[in-house]
Amino acid sequence: MKTLYFQELERLQSERSRIWHEIEQLPDMRPGSLTMARPKCGKSNCHCAKEGDPGHGPVYFLIRRVGHKNITRSVPLAVLDTVRQQVETHHKYEDLSRQYVEISGQISDLKMKQVRESASGETPQTAGKKTRKSPRSRS
């Protein structure tokens, strides 16, 4: 019969493998976020100069952080849906990566606990329980 330790270890390793497989199946991705703007050109005789006019556009931008700078690139309408899907895929990748690292930490903690218990002579059934010492014989 498998101990609880091995059952939990198998469960965590299986979950970690499932997440890794899901990461491997992800399509193209790109980091960043999409924003939409309706810029005003600044010409006094343009329709956008009138109060209440929404401006030109919409114009879409992909913004991502590189080092300490934000990099902004315009996104043509022809590829907007593709870029949106790639950004969403990257967000899913980040979420799966966080889960993978969390489960890997749990596996490491479980293994470390098993090593400590083995080194101290405890079994999973006796871990944390106090044992009574037999009284010394008086001779």
Side-chain angles (χ1 to χ4, degrees), residues 25-90:
Q25 303 304 312
L26 291 174
D28 292 343
M29 67 181 90
R30 67 174 68 233
S33 51
L34 280 171
T35 61
M36 188 267 296
R38 292 187 168 273
K40 299 192 181 234
C41 67
K43 296 178 184 174
S44 60
N45 61 346
C46 182
H47 71 87
C48 71
K50 295 178 186 168
E51 189 174 325
D53 190 281
H56 297 279
V59 179
Y60 292 88
F61 298 98
L62 176 68
I63 302 172
R64 67 186 185 106
R65 191 108 172 130
V66 177
H68 296 290
K69 292 184 177 184
N70 283 333
I71 306 296
T72 303
R73 293 176 52 192
S74 64
V75 177
L77 289 176
V79 295
L80 178 62
D81 288 336
T82 301
V83 172
R84 182 176 283 126
Q85 182 61 46
Q86 291 170 340
V87 169
E88 288 172 6
T89 300
H90 187 263

Side-chain angles (χ1 to χ4, degrees), residues 9 91-92 117:
L9 183 61
H91 290 298
K92 182 170 183 153
E117 290 172 355

